[in-house]
Amino acid sequence: PMRNEPPELVMENEVQIGDDGIVKIEIDSSVAKALHGDQDHRYEITAEVVDQSRRTIYGKGSVIAARKPFSVYGWVDHGFYQVGDAVNASFAGRTVDGKPVKGTGTLKLLKIKYDAEGKPVENAIQSWKVDTNDEGLASQQIKAAEKGQYRLSYSLKDAKGNTIEGGYIFTVHAQGEADNDFRFNDVEVVNDKPEYKDGDTARIMISTNQADSTVLLFVRPANGVYLSPRVVRLKGKTAFEEIKISKKDMPNIFVEALTVSDGRIYTAVKELVVPPEKRVLNVDVIPSKEKYKPGEKAKAKIKITDFFGKPLTSGSVVVTVYDKSVEYISGGSNVPEIKDFFWKWRRSHNANSESNLDKFFYSLMKEKEIGMQPLGVFGNIDEDAGNVMMLGGFGGKDMVKRKGGAARGMMLAEAASAVPAPPGANNAMKMAQRADAFDRAERETDAAPGVVGGGDEGGEMGSVAVRKNFADTAFWTTKVTPDEKGEADIEIPMPENLTTWKVKAWTMTHGTKVGQGETEVMTSKDFIVRLQSPRFFVEKDEVVLSAIVHNYYKDAKSAKVALEIDGGNLSLMDAKNKGARDVKIDAGGEVRVDWRVSVLKEGEVTVRMKAVTEGDSDAMEMKFPVYVHGMMKMVPFSGNISAKDVTGSANFTIDVPGERRVEESRLEVRFSPSLACAMVDALPYLADYPYACTESTINRFLPTVITQKILKDMGLNLKDIEAKRTNLNAQEIGDDKERAKQWKRFDRNPVFDEVLLNDMVADGLKALAFMQLSDGGWGWFS
């Protein structure tokens, strides 16, 4: 539906498809009128077709049921006129789906007067025959001969004989004469032109239905913020004000009028459109050629002109070159259109006022009387419960209920804790990291050392250039400045990827004139080899490495394909396939060559693949990490020595794995005179717990009180334990005393501080008493 309503099923039929594959159905328009009255409505039509093989195919379309065949719209070139002005009236005929209506039309000029009861009476002054063109448009110029309120009535008849009327009301004023015989809304603001430019003077007509009113006119309010108003005292029902337009008013400003009549406040807001100047720059990126060899230096020319075609000789140009395939992962460029970013914004404003005429009520209670509180575990239960937001986390102290744009805080148990602001969003405009430090390695002219399975006896594979300089970003700079012709030349050291590259340029100059341009170039070869491998290796794995050889020549090629491995981390498992292998690749075809390898040890391995043929060759090299087969593991043991044990000792056995990193293995023994001492380390966290529901309030002080009592009953000296305080958490690795020093937020342990403990108990009991319910029990919250 076109309106905000849930869809409803109007009809459902099962029909047979004809031999021509077409089915025609009819929907009675009376059904639409009965369901939706005089409103435009869109119907979705879905079809489910089942063929003889019981296959089901779905399709859908839509049709609009319009309340009338078309609509007629009218407008004039100014908001109001003076006697003697020329009125340029325009009209358009459009169907509900926006198509133009060509037809014959009659335009009437009607003057509006009001009888003794204030009802409008129209008298025809003049009429014209005005037809719409192929675009459904018509226009007529009319002279504003005398003062008054007028209505333009335009009746359009289409080719099917349907006649629709449209109209427009405007006013004509006489200099120095009051407009007491006009009728307006309680307050109106009308601007003389639809848009303005720097240096124009905007004439504003302020009208009220109460003669001799006083109006406050606010110029350039924004986002509910106002400057001091102009006080306008009307003589009659209208007054005219002028506003000087400047560049700072781009792209729009607002004007708001406020008046008081019959004990009520009336406001009207008008937007004045000030379109930006022609601040769009044209950026052309012209590469020297469309295809480059991998590693070749590419050249491109950047040409910048303004809206009028004149070269731009100043400003800053940013250029980036990146692999186009990145956009397939990201779903397109993550950099927004620069012209829209700077010039598609508009100021916003909504009327915002307060007065002693605004009425509001609240509950009156006696002193210290507790008022009714919102119901519900997590906040308010009402029709707007979806707008309740909890601060401070689960069971937080402070809840804020947002409704109608206002926020009201509700205190539960203690003063609300500060809520940290959310971190700032990541800057999505950074396309890639700076590539200025990109140090291109020279091509290898000799066979790499440490060949395990490559290189034939004749040595003819040793002179292949190896591609190993791969990157997602090829170039990025902000140091491009156009010359007096508005041009700049850049040189790009292309990586050795075989891919399509996006070249994009953005520019900005004085006055926030902005523009951007882009093009694409390729790095390619006619005979290439692609290395296929996992992203990493793990000890003891067995992996298949593959070379995919492509031949883009028009004739078949014979080639020798070899694998080379550096680092001693991998080993070929098939001794027969250690040498170069001969393959034949058809024109436009590809061949796959596999090697099975075993992973020996951790470290970094270099994998190199070569494909050599007559007239052309290719090789590529990549480095991969090899990870250890294992994991960091902590094996804990625990025990106790009883006071009844006369030996005063205990024994336990540890099995040390044979395959381990000796330098990362260690044995750590921790002991404590009592398990109660280990309990003490957890108590500062409970004492500092930030939330204040019933459970959290109890957990703040009760375990601390119990632990302190146990230690005292055992005859232990609390001060001595505090001095020897350590971190006995067996799940943390490292020096126990050093870890204890890192607990900066737990500087005071309530077990050892009588004053702090007493304050915790007193505050906790007071909070629990406050949260007790009328039935004597406790819920999760107050």
Side-chain angles (χ1 to χ4, degrees):
M2 300 181 72
R3 292 175 293 155
N4 186 20
E5 297 176 350
E8 59 181 302
L9 182 64
V10 176
M11 59 179 291
E12 182 176 10
N13 291 333
E14 183 173 329
V15 294
Q16 193 72 25
I17 301 177
D19 295 335
D20 57 358
I22 297 176
V23 175
K24 293 183 178 179
I25 61 173
E26 293 184 355
I27 303 175
D28 191 350
S29 60
S30 62
V31 175
K33 186 173 182 63
L35 286 172
H36 309 292
D38 294 329
Q39 300 217 12
D40 297 337
H41 205 79
R42 182 186 300 275
Y43 290 92
E44 297 290 341
I45 303 175
T46 61
E48 178 182 318
V49 181
V50 182
D51 65 8
Q52 295 177 351
S53 302
R54 309 305 300 172
R55 293 178 301 180
T56 302
I57 301 173
Y58 298 91
K60 69 176 182 178
S62 64
V63 63
I64 298 176
R67 68 183 186 274
K68 54 185 178 181
F70 59 91
S71 298
V72 176
Y73 306 93
W75 65 95
V76 295
D77 59 339
H78 286 75
F80 53 88
Y81 297 91
Q82 297 289 335
V83 174
D85 290 345
V87 180
N88 294 304
S90 301
F91 303 91
R94 292 287 185 270
T95 61
V96 70
D97 55 351
K99 294 181 180 179
V101 178
K102 184 179 181 180
T104 59
T106 301
L107 174 63
K108 294 181 181 180
L109 177 63
L110 307 172
K111 188 171 184 179
I112 306 174
K113 293 186 178 180
Y114 302 93
D115 59 18
E117 297 179 358
K119 295 182 179 180
V121 178
E122 296 182 338
N123 297 315
I125 302 298
Q126 198 172 355
S127 65
W128 300 266
K129 291 290 184 182
V130 184
D131 300 336
T132 55
N133 56 20
D134 293 337
E135 298 178 353
L137 301 175
S139 62
Q140 178 68 39
Q141 188 177 77
I142 306 169
K143 184 177 181 180
E146 62 181 42
K147 167 190 167 183
Q149 282 187 312
Y150 296 89
R151 184 173 73 89
L152 292 171
S153 172
Y154 183 67
S155 297
L156 179 63
K157 184 178 182 180
D158 65 2
K160 295 182 180 180
N162 300 308
T163 302
I164 302 294
E165 181 187 4
Y168 192 86
I169 296 177
F170 65 95
T171 58
V172 178
H173 303 268
Q175 188 72 29
E177 296 184 18
D179 299 324
N180 292 336
D181 52 344
F182 292 178
R183 193 172 76 179
F184 299 98
N185 293 326
D186 293 296
V187 63
E188 295 182 18
V189 178
V190 181
N191 51 308
D192 61 335
K193 295 193 299 184
E195 61 182 44
Y196 303 90
K197 63 180 184 296
D198 179 28
D200 284 353
T201 298
R203 297 192 71 232
I204 306 297
M205 182 181 73
I206 306 164
S207 307
T208 62
N209 204 35
Q210 179 70 44
D212 302 328
S213 296
T214 299
V215 177
L216 299 181
L217 182 66
F218 297 91
V219 181
R220 298 182 180 88
N223 299 318
V225 179
Y226 299 80
L227 299 175
S228 298
R230 302 181 187 180
V231 179
V232 182
R233 305 187 186 279
L234 278 63
K235 294 181 179 180
K237 291 186 176 182
T238 59
F240 298 90
E241 290 289 320
E242 295 184 349
I243 300 174
K244 190 69 175 177
I245 302 298
S246 62
K247 285 186 177 182
K248 68 180 181 180
D249 295 325
M250 298 177 185
N252 66 318
I253 60 172
F254 291 90
V255 177
E256 180 178 339
L258 182 147
T259 188
V260 179
S261 178
D262 294 330
R264 294 187 178 182
I265 296 176
Y266 300 98
T267 61
V269 179
K270 193 69 175 180
E271 180 183 15
L272 306 184
V273 179
V274 188
E277 296 176 339
K278 306 304 182 182
R279 300 191 177 190
V280 176
L281 301 176
N282 302 311
V283 181
D284 295 322
V285 183
I286 308 168
S288 59
K289 56 183 180 180
E290 294 182 358
K291 290 186 178 181
Y292 297 92
K293 294 292 184 182
E296 184 180 357
K297 286 189 176 181
K299 294 183 179 180
K301 182 186 295 294
I302 300 175
K303 186 176 181 180
I304 305 172
T305 56
D306 61 14
F307 179 82
F308 303 100
K310 297 181 179 180
L312 181 74
T313 59
S314 62
S316 174
V317 183
V318 178
V319 182
T320 184
V321 182
Y322 61 92
D323 191 342
K324 184 182 177 181
S325 62
V326 174
E327 292 191 352
Y328 290 97
I329 302 173
S330 63
S333 174
N334 61 353
V335 179
E337 172 68 39
I338 190 171
K339 291 176 285 188
D340 292 346
F341 182 82
F342 281 99
W343 291 114
K344 208 171 182 179
W345 65 275
R346 297 179 72 176
R347 293 183 177 93
S348 61
H349 173 68
N350 292 311
N352 180 23
S353 63
E354 294 181 1
S355 75
N356 58 352
L357 299 180
D358 296 330
K359 298 185 176 79
F360 60 93
F361 302 93
Y362 56 91
S363 300
L364 296 177
M365 293 176 291
K366 299 177 183 179
E367 186 178 357
K368 297 183 179 181
E369 182 181 3
I370 299 177
M372 297 180 67
Q373 299 295 321
L375 299 177
V377 175
F378 293 102
N380 288 2
I381 295 180
D382 63 2
E383 72 282 356
D384 198 34
N387 288 334
V388 176
M389 180 177 68
M390 180 178 294
L391 303 180
F394 188 77
K397 302 174 185 177
D398 189 22
M399 288 185 180
V400 175
K401 177 177 181 293
R402 300 186 179 273
K403 184 175 182 179
R408 296 180 292 140
M410 297 184 298
M411 191 67 67
L412 294 183
E414 299 178 357
S417 58
V419 180
N426 292 329
N427 187 357
M429 296 185 64
K430 291 185 178 179
M431 175 68 69
Q433 294 180 348
R434 183 183 294 270
D436 291 344
F438 184 69
D439 184 13
R440 231 182 112 255
E442 297 180 355
R443 296 185 181 183
E444 293 191 359
T445 55
D446 300 316
V451 174
V452 176
D456 59 357
E457 295 179 357
E460 55 190 70
M461 299 192 70
S463 60
V464 182
V466 180
R467 294 184 292 111
K468 55 184 178 181
N469 181 16
F470 305 108
D472 294 331
T473 303
F475 186 75
W476 191 89
T477 184
T478 60
K479 301 178 181 178
V480 178
T481 303
D483 57 18
E484 63 277 0
K485 298 180 181 179
E487 299 177 353
D489 295 322
I490 59 173
E491 189 175 76
I492 307 165
M494 302 301 294
E496 294 174 327
N497 312 44
L498 301 177
T499 186
T500 300
W501 300 90
K502 266 275 186 80
V503 185
K504 301 187 73 171
W506 299 268
T507 185
M508 177 186 291
T509 187
H510 181 71
T512 323
K513 295 180 180 179
V514 295
Q516 72 180 63
E518 64 179 59
T519 189
E520 294 181 2
V521 297
M522 293 178 61
T523 50
S524 65
K525 296 180 67 175
D526 293 326
F527 188 84
I528 64 174
V529 61
R530 290 192 297 114
L531 188 157
Q532 285 193 345
S533 168
R535 292 178 298 170
F536 59 88
F537 301 94
V538 179
E539 284 180 329
K540 300 184 180 181
D541 281 356
E542 295 181 2
V543 181
V544 175
L545 303 179
S546 302
I548 312 298
V549 186
H550 296 264
N551 176 23
Y552 295 108
Y553 285 106
K554 295 182 179 180
D555 53 350
K557 292 285 185 179
S558 297
K560 290 182 178 294
V561 184
L563 167 68
E564 300 176 356
I565 303 173
D566 295 345
N569 307 84
L570 305 182
S571 175
L572 281 168
M573 300 180 64
D574 189 356
K576 296 181 181 179
N577 292 330
K578 288 188 176 182
R581 297 166 62 177
D582 296 323
V583 297
K584 184 176 181 180
I585 309 102
D586 296 332
E590 64 180 52
V591 172
R592 175 178 181 138
V593 181
D594 296 331
W595 292 272
R596 193 174 185 86
V597 299
S598 61
V599 185
L600 304 179
K601 61 179 182 179
E602 64 172 316
E604 184 180 69
V605 63
T606 301
V607 179
R608 188 181 308 107
M609 292 183 180
K610 296 182 179 181
V612 180
T613 186
E614 182 180 358
D616 199 357
S617 300
D618 190 34
M620 67 177 296
E621 171 186 302
M622 297 184 70
K623 298 181 183 296
F624 302 94
V626 182
Y627 297 121
V628 65
H629 179 76
M631 59 180 288
M632 293 295 292
K633 186 176 182 181
M634 182 170 62
V635 183
F637 297 86
S638 63
N640 64 82
I641 302 174
S642 173
K644 298 179 181 179
D645 191 342
V646 295
T647 62
S649 63
N651 300 316
F652 57 89
T653 303
I654 300 176
D655 295 326
V656 181
E659 296 186 44
R660 61 185 175 86
R661 290 178 173 173
V662 177
E663 66 279 4
E664 296 185 16
S665 303
R666 71 188 227 170
L667 173 63
E668 184 173 313
V669 180
R670 305 177 189 171
F671 57 92
S672 173
S674 170
L675 287 176
C677 295
M679 291 168 24
V680 175
D681 292 332
L683 296 176
Y685 175 76
L686 291 176
D688 201 54
Y689 204 61
Y691 309 128
C693 62
T694 304
E695 174 199 9
S696 303
T697 303
I698 294 175
N699 288 346
R700 280 172 56 87
F701 68 91
L702 189 58
T704 305
V705 173
I706 295 174
T707 303
Q708 188 187 68
K709 185 176 185 303
I710 292 174
L711 295 177
K712 287 184 175 180
D713 291 344
M714 294 174 64
L716 299 175
N717 189 314
L718 298 181
K719 294 298 181 182
D720 292 343
I721 298 177
E722 182 182 15
K724 297 180 179 180
R725 176 178 160 209
T726 183
N727 184 345
L728 297 177
N729 187 352
Q731 294 181 331
E732 295 184 20
I733 299 177
D735 184 81
D736 54 333
K737 294 183 179 179
E738 290 298 323
R739 291 200 318 276
K741 294 179 181 179
Q742 296 171 6
W743 294 359
K744 296 181 179 178
R745 65 185 183 127
F746 301 141
D747 290 337
R748 297 178 65 191
N749 193 319
V751 173
F752 313 120
D753 193 323
E754 294 282 350
V755 177
L756 178 59
L757 179 60
N758 293 336
D759 290 343
M760 285 175 51
V761 173
D763 293 343
L765 292 176
K766 182 179 179 181
L768 289 175
F770 174 80
M771 290 187 284
Q772 188 174 19
L773 304 178
S774 58
D775 61 1
W778 280 266
W780 204 338
F781 297 102
S782 165

